[in-house]
Amino acid sequence: MKIMIATAMVLLGAFGTSKAQEPSGAAILQSCQVSDPNCMAYVNGITAGIVITQIAKEQGNPICLPDHISTATVREKIISFLSDNPKAQEVGANAAVEVALEAAFPCPKAN
């Protein structure tokens, strides 16, 4: 669930938010009713987030975002990881973002 939120956060900039603040259901409805590209970006982001969450869980590498993290921070972590790891640029975007966020925000190991 947290990775889904992270992906949505990355895309929220399209709705004019500067921090991890989700748009209202009314804003999404209005955007989607007029075929605004922001609607598709948001829907694609949520869908990708669900896929990424499933992959991370299946691989036993859940992602834990800190509270109050900004969209800009998540974006910078993804950029940094992909810049430093060219091989990660060769896979699909879902897998690349999933691995980047796993590296940046691993969940604490249970004792």
Side-chain angles (χ1 to χ4, degrees):
M1 179 62 136
K2 288 188 176 189
I3 188 66
M4 178 174 67
I5 294 167
T7 305
M9 287 170 37
V10 172
L11 294 171
L12 287 176
F15 286 94
T17 58
S18 61
K19 293 211 176 212
Q21 177 185 23
E22 68 179 307
S24 68
I28 294 297
L29 175 61
Q30 181 180 17
S31 176
C32 292
Q33 285 177 324
V34 297
S35 299
D36 183 338
N38 291 332
C39 169
M40 288 307 296
Y42 192 81
V43 171
N44 285 336
I46 293 296
T47 303
I50 293 168
V51 169
I52 289 169
T53 299
Q54 291 170 338
I55 292 169
K57 284 182 180 179
E58 288 170 6
Q59 293 180 354
N61 298 317
I63 299 160
C64 293
L65 294 175
D67 291 337
H68 311 293
I69 191 165
S70 71
T71 303
T73 299
V74 173
R75 180 179 168 269
E76 288 303 318
K77 294 291 186 180
I78 292 167
I79 291 169
S80 177
F81 181 87
L82 293 176
S83 295
D84 293 345
N85 297 278
K87 290 277 186 197
Q89 298 174 34
E90 298 172 10
V91 300
N94 288 351
V97 169
E98 184 255 331
V99 172
L101 295 179
E102 278 179 10
F105 305 108
C107 290
K109 300 290 182 192
N111 292 334

